[in-house]
Amino acid sequence: MQVLNDILEQISGFLWGWPMIILLLGTHLFLTIRLRFPQRKIFTAIKLSIQKDKNATGDVSQFGALATALAATIGTGNIIGVATAVALGGPGAVLWCWLTGVFGISTKYAEGLLAVKYRIKTKHGKMLGGPMYALERGLGWKWMAVAFALFTACASFGIGCTVQANAISTLTNESYSISPVITGAVVCLLTAAVILGGVKSIAKVCGMLVPFMAIFYVLGCIYILFVNGSYVWPALQLICTSAFTPEAAGGGFVGTSVMMAARFGIARGLFSNESGLGSAPIVAAAAQTRNPVRQALVSSSGTFWDTVVICALTGLVIVSSVLAYPDIDFKDGGALTHAAFSKIPYVGSPLLSFGLLTFAFSTILGWSYYGERAVEYLSIKWRKFRHTQKQVEIVMRSKLVLTYRVLYIVAVFIGSIANLTVVWNLADCMNALMAIPNLLSLLFLNGVIVHETRKYLWRGRLDKEM
């Protein structure tokens, strides 16, 4: 296992190295310029996200699709991931993480647009879409579409399931001395109660959970910043100057190079908001929307909330806390996060615990839908290859989906009690392999994205139906 872990760690390090960062960030910048800075429409996007499009076709509301995507996106990376970036890259990493979120809005917009543009409607009225359908129907790259679906299904058991369950059980065991077995059983039951009901059940729960957990966490961070009031402005100055001037680090921080700050800040930002990963458009395709651009705007608001707001607040809390309490240790992201939040009396530790628990559980729910849709796509391709009869196809699809849900629930329990070092590295590899075909589809279909944007957004026809 150690040999396998070492191999996977090397592969993961290569896949998430500078070539991937350049590809992702380059796509962000290219689409931002090509689409005339869609970030300026963020308030329109937020407004659309809370409106119901009753006459539109889809499985869930636009808000339900956004909430499910946010549930999968807002995870431990928003807390531990940001702290890891600060621990390894210095306070300047926070600014690079934030900038990645700002430019990532355009990529998330493009993903959502293609998801609706190339989605299909089954005979039962269910909407199916995502990068695999854009790759197949938009570019004719069937083999790459299958590869994306396979990587997504594998990734759902890793970063979306077992590692999140492990984070929950570890936290409850260390903070409240609750056995991982008990925690695993409880999380299993809660997960089963939600995902066995399908996308509508997942979207309904996420629609209630995500706003509550996000608002609670944001208010808690604002309170901590109020307590650290005299250090907030110095923290902002340190974040901005350290992003471009390595010697500016101080106040308990160890000076790092600008390249280190940029690398870890960009990598954590990309990993946190999932812009370019290709996961969020899978649920965007199920949204009730009258045209692709409306849902594209709604999807783009997810990156705004995830990185531009939540990650930025977390980074500011951590940097201001380190300035206020210079004795905080910098061993790793987890230790830094715990130390920074625990310094705040009464609310610090409970806020961290609540944030990690709810963020991790919501990620489990969101990724279950991504994996299920990937498995369904693979089953469709396999049946077409085998020329299975129509009636048998329907039965097989139902069995495969049910089997996936059961395996996913079992994986939650396994993740709660197992050592997941190998799984972490495997999940990182699968996520990188997901991003490559998705980014290629965005780049090669950028003409389609511009055409649809011009048709509905630039000409002021957002209310027009497809």
Side-chain angles (χ1 to χ4, degrees), residues 127-209:
M127 291 294 184
L128 302 177
M132 52 275 204
Y133 293 91
L135 286 162
E136 179 183 348
R137 303 184 69 209
L139 294 170
W141 296 352
K142 295 182 180 180
W143 65 273
M144 193 171 285
V146 170
F148 174 86
L150 180 62
F151 295 142
T152 301
C154 294
S156 70
F157 285 102
I159 197 65
C161 176
T162 52
V163 297
Q164 303 297 332
N166 188 263
I168 294 174
S169 65
T170 300
L171 176 66
T172 55
N173 181 253
E174 292 179 353
S175 302
Y176 308 105
S177 300
I178 299 175
S179 170
V181 175
I182 296 176
T183 301
V186 172
V187 177
C188 265
L189 291 174
L190 292 174
T191 303
V194 178
I195 71 172
L196 290 177
V199 63
K200 292 185 178 179
S201 175
I202 294 172
K204 184 178 180 180
V205 173
C206 291
M208 294 185 293
L209 179 62

Side-chain angles (χ1 to χ4, degrees), residues 54-72:
K54 296 181 179 179
N55 297 324
T57 304
D59 299 335
V60 296
S61 66
Q62 290 179 318
F63 178 76
L66 174 63
T68 303
L70 279 173

Side-chain angles (χ1 to χ4, degrees), residues 22-197:
I22 292 171
L23 177 61
L24 276 163
L25 191 58
T27 302
H28 290 353
L29 294 172
F30 171 75
L31 290 173
T32 295
I33 296 171
R34 190 84 165 88
L35 297 172
R36 302 179 186 176
F37 292 84
Q39 292 88 341
R40 56 194 173 89
K41 297 291 184 180
I42 191 63
F43 293 109
T44 300
I46 294 172
K47 181 181 178 181
L48 288 174
S49 69
I50 58 176
Q51 292 179 348
K52 289 186 177 181
D53 209 347
K54 296 181 179 179
N55 297 324
T57 304
D59 299 335
V60 296
S61 66
Q62 290 179 318
F63 178 76
L66 174 63
T68 303
L70 279 173
T73 305
I74 299 177
T76 54
N78 295 82
I79 303 177
I80 304 296
V82 174
T84 300
V86 173
L88 298 176
V94 176
L95 180 62
W96 288 108
C97 179
W98 184 81
L99 288 174
T100 302
V102 171
F103 290 111
I105 289 174
S106 59
T107 301
K108 190 64 72 73
Y109 168 91
E111 289 178 318
L113 190 153
L114 292 181
V116 177
K117 172 70 176 178
Y118 292 109
R119 69 183 180 180
I120 64 172
K121 186 177 182 179
T122 67
K123 293 184 178 181
H124 300 286
K126 185 167 62 175
M127 291 294 184
L128 302 177
M132 52 275 204
Y133 293 91
L135 286 162
E136 179 183 348
R137 303 184 69 209
L139 294 170
W141 296 352
K142 295 182 180 180
W143 65 273
M144 193 171 285
V146 170
F148 174 86
L150 180 62
F151 295 142
T152 301
C154 294
S156 70
F157 285 102
I159 197 65
C161 176
T162 52
V163 297
Q164 303 297 332
N166 188 263
I168 294 174
S169 65
T170 300
L171 176 66
T172 55
N173 181 253
E174 292 179 353
S175 302
Y176 308 105
S177 300
I178 299 175
S179 170
V181 175
I182 296 176
T183 301
V186 172
V187 177
C188 265
L189 291 174
L190 292 174
T191 303
V194 178
I195 71 172
L196 290 177

Side-chain angles (χ1 to χ4, degrees), residues 167-435:
I168 294 174
S169 65
T170 300
L171 176 66
T172 55
N173 181 253
E174 292 179 353
S175 302
Y176 308 105
S177 300
I178 299 175
S179 170
V181 175
I182 296 176
T183 301
V186 172
V187 177
C188 265
L189 291 174
L190 292 174
T191 303
V194 178
I195 71 172
L196 290 177
V199 63
K200 292 185 178 179
S201 175
I202 294 172
K204 184 178 180 180
V205 173
C206 291
M208 294 185 293
L209 179 62
V210 169
F212 173 72
M213 71 180 193
I215 291 173
F216 183 86
Y217 182 75
V218 168
L219 290 177
C221 286
I222 292 174
Y223 171 78
I224 292 177
L225 293 177
F226 176 78
V227 174
N228 293 343
S230 58
Y231 296 94
V232 172
W233 180 247
L236 280 171
Q237 290 179 312
L238 184 59
I239 287 171
C240 293
T241 54
S242 296
F244 306 101
T245 309
E247 61 271 14
F253 291 98
V254 177
T256 57
S257 68
V258 173
M259 293 294 288
M260 291 285 284
R263 177 186 175 185
F264 289 107
I266 292 171
R268 288 298 94 190
L270 294 171
F271 190 78
S272 171
N273 59 52
E274 296 183 9
S275 293
L277 189 62
S279 51
I282 296 175
V283 69
Q288 296 168 349
T289 184
R290 64 186 70 182
N291 63 62
V293 172
R294 287 176 70 94
Q295 183 55 38
L297 287 169
V298 172
S299 295
S300 70
S301 67
T303 299
F304 172 80
W305 293 120
D306 175 85
T307 307
V308 179
V309 176
I310 295 180
C311 283
L313 280 174
T314 302
L316 193 56
V317 164
I318 290 172
V319 175
S320 64
S321 295
V322 172
L323 292 180
Y325 309 98
D327 60 321
I328 288 179
D329 196 1
F330 277 78
K331 289 182 180 179
D332 55 59
L336 175 58
T337 305
H338 185 268
F341 277 82
S342 63
K343 290 291 184 179
I344 309 302
Y346 307 114
V347 302
S349 294
L351 174 64
L352 178 61
S353 298
F354 178 82
L356 287 173
L357 288 172
T358 55
F359 286 8
F361 180 65
S362 68
T363 300
I364 291 174
L365 299 182
W367 268 92
S368 70
Y369 179 78
Y370 297 158
E372 181 179 313
R373 284 293 178 263
V375 168
E376 190 166 9
Y377 178 84
L378 291 171
S379 69
I380 293 172
K381 297 296 106 179
W382 175 250
R383 287 194 300 273
K384 286 184 178 180
F385 176 75
R386 293 290 301 273
H387 304 290
T388 314
Q389 294 181 355
K390 180 179 178 182
Q391 187 61 35
V392 178
E393 287 182 8
I394 298 174
V395 175
M396 284 178 62
R397 183 186 301 181
S398 300
K399 287 184 177 180
L400 282 170
V401 169
L402 180 60
T403 301
Y404 170 80
R405 292 175 181 174
V406 172
L407 289 175
Y408 194 85
I409 294 168
V410 172
V412 169
F413 183 78
I414 294 174
S416 300
I417 61 175
N419 187 327
L420 299 179
T421 305
V422 174
V423 177
W424 261 110
N425 289 320
L426 180 62
D428 283 344
C429 294
M430 292 299 105
N431 283 344
L433 292 173
M434 282 175 61

